[in-house]
Structure formats: C-alpha cells, structure tokens
Amino acid sequence: MVKPLTEEEVNSKTDPSLNKQWDETTPKEEQFKELYKIVDGLKSSLLTTNRPGVGPVSRSMAVAKRVGPDFLYLANIHSQKFEDLKSDKTVQITFQNSSNQDWVSITGKATTTDNADPRIKQVYSKGVNAWFGDLGDGVHTGMPDDPRMTLIEVKADYIAYWKTTSSSIGFVKEVAQASLTGQVADTGVNRQLFDKDIQAARDAES
C-alpha cells in the first residue's frame, strides 16, 4: 500500500522507501524461518571475496548446505578465491529472486578446509564433478576424494533481507500508483539480523 512522503523524512535525510518498510515487530524466530525459505528456494548465490589490489570480486556458487544461518560451499582449492581468503576472510553472500525481487545479503567470515573434511562426502551431489573434470589418473577424478575438492564455510555476522508482501501484479500496480501520485511504494518488508540474533539461531540448530 502506497504511503505519503513526510516532511520529517526529508528534513531528517531519511530514505523513505527503506524507512517505511523496516520490520521491527515480527519475532526473530519467524524472521529466520522466512529467511531460510528464501535462500533454500534459490540454492545459488553470489559469493564475494576481497582481492588485494582489486577490491570485491563476486562469483556465482551453488550452496552445498545451509546449517542454520551459516553456509557451506564445495570449491576447487586451486581457485583464486582461496588466495583472496588468505588476506581477508570477510565475505558477502547475496541471493536474489528475479521473479518477486526478494533479496538477501549476508556478511560473514569464511574458513577453508582440506579434502580430509568428512563433510565433503556428506554434501557432495551428482553433477559436482562436472566442474572439476577427471584427469584419468585415478586421483583427480572430480569425486569427493579428489584432493582439489574442499569446503568454504561462511559463518554469518550480519544479515539483511527484503521480502515482498505483494503479488507480481500487485507490485507493478503499487509502483505505478506511487509514481503517479507522488507517494512512496511499500511493497515488502526490510529486516536486519545482528550478531546476537544470529548466534541465538545458531544455538537453536544445535
């Protein structure tokens, strides 16, 4: 439902779209449930590392497993992102649903393992080998025991996400109405989850 722009929002230099969509009333447990529903429905994300002399570098990666608010990725240890993580373990994970505009942004710290990590076999799925190839030497096979295959584990420190509350048609109508009337579109809810919220969610999973 569109809402009027207020003089207070202008004078306080407030972003009216953001201000009108903040959700500080929904219980945190419900917020996490809706967060998980969004990310579990998308599977793939952008994982962004910080490269010395370059800055943020992103690549699309499939989530191997979500454990509460944290994420596991299968990756090739020869990838440049492992060099990035040696100098800066802070990463960002982003998800976006192009059909309804839901998005998630997660800032956290990444740790890496080697091929001895037993979780590799637990999260490995058919088709992963297509990204590794098989050298034919019985070692570099693209299978779970391939020494190139390892894990990146991202533990969240801060999560922000936006969830639509409108249908696709309703979203278009809302934006059009706001544009025509000089009001502000209000098509969803913005939420923030901080370290203490994330740790509580993590504890609830254990």
Side-chain angles (χ1 to χ4, degrees), residues 38-165:
I38 293 172
V39 299
D40 291 348
L42 294 174
K43 304 298 183 183
S44 290
S45 68
L46 286 180
L47 175 65
T48 302
T49 54
N50 295 295
R51 185 162 300 169
V54 176
V57 178
S58 303
R59 74 284 293 162
S60 179
M61 294 189 68
V63 175
K65 185 177 182 180
R66 177 187 61 76
V67 183
D70 306 317
F71 296 81
L72 289 174
Y73 295 91
L74 281 171
N76 190 324
I77 200 167
H78 295 163
S79 166
Q80 179 66 40
K81 55 184 165 284
F82 285 88
E83 293 300 315
D84 299 346
L85 292 172
K86 286 180 181 178
S87 61
D88 190 345
K89 297 191 181 302
T90 300
V91 299
Q92 183 182 41
I93 299 171
T94 53
F95 297 85
Q96 182 160 21
N97 186 332
S98 60
S99 66
N100 64 8
Q101 308 307 316
D102 286 353
W103 59 261
V104 177
S105 175
I106 299 166
T107 301
K109 296 293 190 301
T111 57
T112 61
T113 70
D114 59 25
N115 187 249
D117 192 319
R119 294 177 298 176
I120 292 175
K121 291 183 179 179
Q122 296 170 11
V123 301
Y124 183 90
S125 60
K126 185 177 180 181
V128 169
N129 61 331
W131 305 107
F132 286 79
D134 184 351
L135 186 61
D137 61 355
V139 177
H140 302 92
T141 60
M143 302 303 285
D145 56 357
D146 186 321
R148 298 171 296 164
M149 193 170 298
T150 186
L151 286 175
I152 297 174
E153 180 176 16
V154 178
K155 287 193 171 292
D157 293 324
Y158 170 77
I159 300 170
Y161 75 96
W162 183 87
K163 176 183 178 294
T164 184
T165 54

Side-chain angles (χ1 to χ4, degrees), residues 18-29:
L18 195 63
N19 185 54
K20 294 179 187 303
Q21 296 186 89
W22 277 125
D23 177 11
E24 298 178 342
T25 59
T26 301
K28 297 299 182 184
E29 183 178 356

